[in-house]
Amino acid sequence: MWFKNLQIFRLPSPWKVDIEQLSIQLASQAFSQCPSNEMQSEGWASPRENEQLIHSVNQQLLLLLSTEKKLLPTTVINQVAKAKAAELEEQQGFAPGRKAMKDLKERVTDELLPRAFGIKRSTWVWIDPVNGWLLIDTSSPSKADEVIKLLLKCDKLPLESLRVKLSPQTAMTDWLIGNEAPKGFTIDQDTELRSHTEDKATIRYVNHSLDADDIQRHIAAGK
């Protein structure tokens, strides 16, 4: 398998980890099916479907966070609550007040939750205790936070956010300026140049040759 996205954190190098103890701690937060009256459930699952919550190879650790969230749009809740409010108004002769509507929506949510579909999501975690890395397969910092919060319940991880001397945006802009990428990378036919100004003016190339003069002009204009 390949990680498609990365949120990267630093660990001390090397980082001593007791795999057996960590497995026990993960087991206390093992994933279970989302109860009918809950909106979301999350926990650790087996990366290799063998009941082991840690897959270890050459001191490298692979974990899997499984999340299930009920699909219950607010528009559906509001629609059902509105219909029930109309019935109440007809019975009692006046429309429900603000507090009554809030209570009604809560009751509607409780009624609909058992029938809502559950959407499952998997988030892969790679821990390299030898070189001091923790990598999470997500582009979302909030999803990475979900992983970190659960891991911190298991152990006091001495994590630090990755700090770079040159931002990815600056580095790749330099590649375009010089029309040359470093070893292991190529400049292809897709790119997006975005202005730093409030209007966020954007030029996007998709399957289109990158004309050096055009690129240089856009970069010089602040993109």
Side-chain angles (χ1 to χ4, degrees), residues 2-9 124-126 133-141 144 162 168:
W2 295 93
F3 279 35
K4 295 181 179 179
N5 302 282
L6 282 181
Q7 293 286 325
I8 307 175
F9 300 87
W124 294 92
V125 184
W126 169 23
W133 295 105
L134 188 146
L135 304 99
I136 303 173
D137 184 8
T138 179
S139 60
S140 167
L162 183 69

Side-chain angles (χ1 to χ4, degrees), residues 90-183:
E90 185 175 346
Q91 293 171 7
Q92 62 192 16
F94 58 90
R98 182 176 297 179
K99 185 178 184 304
M101 278 302 301
K102 181 181 178 182
D103 294 340
L104 182 59
K105 287 181 181 180
E106 290 177 354
R107 291 201 302 273
V108 167
T109 301
D110 291 340
E111 292 173 6
L112 295 178
L113 262 180
R115 290 180 282 163
F117 289 103
I119 305 298
K120 288 187 176 180
R121 169 170 52 85
S122 296
T123 306
W124 294 92
V125 184
W126 169 23
I127 300 177
D128 177 2
V130 178
N131 299 296
W133 295 105
L134 188 146
L135 304 99
I136 303 173
D137 184 8
T138 179
S139 60
S140 167
S142 63
K143 291 189 174 88
D145 286 342
E146 293 176 7
V147 172
I148 298 302
K149 285 178 182 177
L150 278 186
L151 281 176
L152 288 175
K153 291 181 181 179
C154 296
D155 202 350
K156 293 183 178 179
L157 293 178
L159 285 177
E160 292 184 4
S161 297
L162 183 69
R163 295 181 177 86
V164 294
K165 294 180 179 179
L166 193 66
S167 72
Q169 294 93 331
T170 301
M172 288 185 280
T173 301
D174 288 345
W175 302 354
L176 291 176
I177 291 175
N179 196 29
E180 185 177 357
K183 184 178 180 181

Side-chain angles (χ1 to χ4, degrees), residues 173-212:
T173 301
D174 288 345
W175 302 354
L176 291 176
I177 291 175
N179 196 29
E180 185 177 357
K183 184 178 180 181
F185 294 87
T186 59
I187 296 176
D188 298 324
Q189 293 187 318
D190 299 290
T191 192
E192 180 176 288
L193 299 170
R194 184 177 299 171
S195 172
H196 289 292
T197 57
E198 291 184 1
D199 61 1
K200 300 295 182 182
T202 302
I203 300 293
R204 185 177 294 112
Y205 290 81
V206 179
N207 293 326
H208 193 287
S209 297
L210 306 184
D211 183 87

